[in-house]
Amino acid sequence: MSRPDEPTPPASRGQLKGQRAAAERDRRRRAALAAHERGLGRRGRIGAGLAGTGVVLLVAGAVAAGSLAAPAPPAVDGTAAPARLSAAPDVGVCAPAPRLPRGAAEGTDAQFSPVSTTARSGLSAVLLSDLAGRLPGSSAGPLATAGGDGGAEPLTRGQPERVQQGEPATSGPDGVPVRRAGVETLADPGGEDGGAAAVTVEPLGGQSAVADAVTLYSAADGDLAGADASACTAPGHELWLTGAGTAAGSTAVLTLSNPSASASTVDVSLYGAEGPVEAPGTAGLVLGPGEDRSIVLGGLAPDEEHLAVRVSARGGAVGAVVQHSRLFGVTPGGVDVIQPTAAPAPRAVMPGVLVPSPRAVREVAAQDGHGGVSPAVTIAAPTVATTAEVTVAGADGPVELEGVGEVEIAAGSTVRVPLEGLETGTYTVTVTADEPVVASAQGQSGRPGGPLDTSSVSAVRPLGVERAVAFPEGADATLVLSSAEGGAVQVTPVLADGSLGEPVERALDPRSSRALAARDLAAGDETVAGVLLTTTGGLVHAGVSVRTADGISAYPVVPRAERSGGLPVRVGY
């Protein structure tokens, strides 16, 4: 995949030290070789002097010279050079479709019952070609098919090894660069039981392909009525999830998924309002290759209004999500899938928080037990107590919150901060703290006496240079962009027929939130299946908010994982 030139980041102190040490070793080695060659030359001159004393000595000297003057050693280039590694396929883990727990062994390991009669689940994927117009090979299917080893449904045809691992293309056969997209959909990607799924995308030109996939769940009836859109994300060895609750009427189910070919040993840590939660059976959970496991968090940490979950894995990298739903008596209160949020940092940015009118928020919250569905942000301080500030940005800039100042957070605990006084709209919420924190926000839709739904909005790191974003088929998607200091993004629509629309530069004002509806990104009646984002200035954060007839949702736009092109290898003595 040909990508715009990126500036080389400044070397760290450790890198500079290593470079100096390598240069010194290289200097010493060259000096030793030079000294060795000088010694050989000196012995050769001595042999010639002895040969001048007589014929007998000439022969003896010749023999001596031949034995002393060894052939010159081969030239050795001791400079470190990268040894190129073969690019591996990228694997994204997709959340399982929401399902109802129906009993649990020991109160934690979940079994599931069928969902509603109207529930549907599907996957939408967008894959960008290289500059020769060649699409990466890809497939999707249940978790056990991760890696494309068999059993997965092909999305796009695979490319030859020379295309996957060769040099990045700079143009098509006629010398003109050409780029297109593959737009693919798949119903029930997790199989008939609705389990976790995996998307595998092959590399192009020795680099990760530019691609994205998202799942959409929607149901009009049943206890899990509502909507959820979740991005298929790369597995990791440490993941944080915030915003789940286990109080009366709330159900939170943690699902761990191992898409790798190696077993993984997982530790789960829980943090509540009063600090770390001691729970048995959360350490040393073993997941085999292609295996997932669901755990009812209410059996580990009951009656918690807001939880933070840390997942640490050894061995294979894992995916983790929390299915969170509410039930008010017999009335469903919405469903969403909480995805991993950005790693602990002093700043957390959450773009794409949907808020109804202030009146709707107040009237819903006034109903018995409904306070937990209001717009809010959950913050956890993993290790050190800290003070945090919550700010909100809208289309016109910063928006003042009612009754929110600085928030004190004890070490290892969580707090929930309501987002009150906001007008109807889509916002970016930012948490700034003295010490590292993790956070996620919650959006809300619905009105008193009617269907309710919530959306979980994860914190994200700034976008990289280039990122594809897929929109779920059958939903109204809105891309939300934000930049604290101001920035700019080139937005190229990806149309449903695989063609690319006209790129448009979008300027972002400092401390504002810009919402771009998918339907407004293309001319006429063309359907926009996704976008290609190219950051052209500043640090930009992005998320997607989603609305269907059954509810709302949101999913994060995380930066592409950058992969090294090789390892430094030095040849020498």
Side-chain angles (χ1 to χ4, degrees):
M1 190 71 206
S2 180
R3 300 182 57 187
D5 292 336
E6 298 181 36
T8 303
S12 66
R13 184 178 300 174
Q15 289 173 327
L16 291 173
K17 183 178 179 180
Q19 291 169 1
R20 288 194 293 268
E24 178 63 19
R25 289 194 299 269
D26 189 54
R27 186 191 65 78
R28 292 178 181 176
R29 179 167 50 253
R30 291 179 180 275
L33 287 173
H36 180 60
E37 291 171 353
R38 288 195 299 272
L40 291 176
R42 181 172 178 274
R43 286 193 291 271
R45 289 192 297 273
I46 293 173
L50 291 173
T53 60
V55 175
V56 176
L57 289 178
L58 174 64
V59 175
V63 174
S67 62
L68 291 174
V76 177
D77 183 2
T79 305
R84 182 169 181 177
L85 304 177
S86 295
D90 288 325
V91 176
V93 181
C94 310
R99 298 170 291 171
L100 286 172
R102 60 172 186 193
E106 304 298 330
T108 57
D109 291 339
Q111 303 294 320
F112 294 97
S113 64
V115 293
S116 75
T117 58
T118 61
R120 60 188 185 278
S121 178
L123 177 141
S124 301
V126 166
L127 307 103
L128 274 294
S129 74
D130 60 11
L131 294 183
R134 300 174 299 197
L135 294 173
S138 61
S139 61
L143 187 69
T145 66
D149 295 331
E153 182 75 20
L155 298 177
T156 51
R157 187 177 61 184
Q159 295 288 348
E161 189 73 10
R162 59 179 175 78
V163 174
Q164 294 186 41
Q165 304 296 343
E167 293 297 320
T170 57
S171 65
D174 58 358
V176 178
V178 57
R179 202 172 197 188
R180 62 190 181 99
V183 177
E184 306 294 336
T185 59
L186 179 65
D188 301 320
E192 294 182 358
D193 64 350
V199 176
T200 303
V201 181
E202 295 174 352
L204 283 176
Q207 300 177 7
S208 294
V210 180
D212 191 39
V214 59
T215 58
L216 177 68
Y217 163 90
S218 192
D221 65 343
D223 290 350
L224 297 180
D228 175 75
S230 295
C232 299
T233 58
H237 287 92
E238 180 169 300
L239 304 171
W240 285 87
L241 308 101
T242 58
T246 60
S250 295
T251 301
V253 181
L254 171 67
T255 297
L256 306 171
S257 305
N258 179 11
S260 73
S262 304
S264 182
T265 302
V266 180
D267 297 332
V268 176
S269 304
L270 305 174
Y271 304 85
E274 301 300 323
V277 178
E278 298 295 333
T282 56
L285 306 176
V286 178
L287 294 177
E291 182 182 355
D292 61 7
R293 181 172 180 177
S294 295
I295 302 170
V296 179
L297 295 180
L300 301 174
D303 301 321
E304 289 284 350
E305 294 286 349
H306 35 80
L307 274 173
V309 181
R310 178 190 181 190
V311 174
S312 303
R314 303 183 300 279
V318 300
V321 295
V322 174
Q323 174 191 309
H324 192 222
S325 60
R326 295 179 179 86
L327 195 63
F328 303 113
V330 295
T331 304
V335 61
D336 54 82
V337 172
I338 299 172
Q339 295 200 259
T341 195
R347 190 166 181 265
V349 181
M350 294 145 277
V353 182
L354 287 172
V355 176
S357 68
R359 179 179 178 180
V361 172
R362 289 192 300 269
E363 290 181 351
V364 169
Q367 298 179 102
D368 186 31
H370 284 60
V373 303
S374 300
V377 58
T378 299
I379 313 168
T383 56
V384 181
T386 189
T387 300
E389 180 183 14
V390 179
T391 57
V392 176
D396 298 324
V399 180
E400 186 175 350
L401 286 172
E402 292 182 0
V404 176
E406 291 187 338
V407 181
E408 301 291 335
I409 313 171
S413 68
T414 64
V415 298
R416 186 177 187 272
V417 180
L419 303 175
E420 297 179 339
L422 300 177
E423 297 295 330
T424 304
T426 304
Y427 297 92
T428 294
V429 178
T430 300
V431 174
T432 306
D434 299 327
E435 301 290 342
V437 296
V438 290
S440 66
Q442 177 178 278
Q444 176 193 338
S445 71
R447 60 186 185 280
L452 296 174
D453 200 14
T454 58
S455 60
S456 174
V457 184
S458 300
V460 293
R461 294 185 291 118
L463 293 174
V465 173
E466 191 175 54
R467 176 67 156 84
V469 182
F471 296 151
E473 185 182 46
D476 292 330
T478 298
L479 175 69
V480 184
L481 303 171
S482 180
S483 179
E485 304 298 329
V489 180
Q490 185 184 81
V491 181
T492 304
V494 178
L495 305 181
D497 63 2
S499 62
L500 302 184
E502 193 68 26
V504 177
E505 187 91 0
R506 306 282 184 170
L508 305 174
D509 294 331
R511 296 183 297 169
S512 66
S513 184
R514 186 161 189 178
L516 305 174
R519 63 179 177 272
D520 297 333
L521 295 178
D525 297 330
E526 295 172 311
T527 300
V528 178
V531 292
L532 176 63
L533 301 179
T534 305
T535 302
T536 56
L539 297 178
V540 179
H541 298 78
V544 178
S545 64
V546 172
R547 187 181 295 274
T548 75
D550 301 317
I552 63 170
S553 188
Y555 55 95
V557 178
V558 299
R560 292 176 60 202
E562 299 297 333
R563 180 177 289 161
S564 171
L567 294 176
V569 176
R570 178 174 285 104
V571 180
Y573 298 112

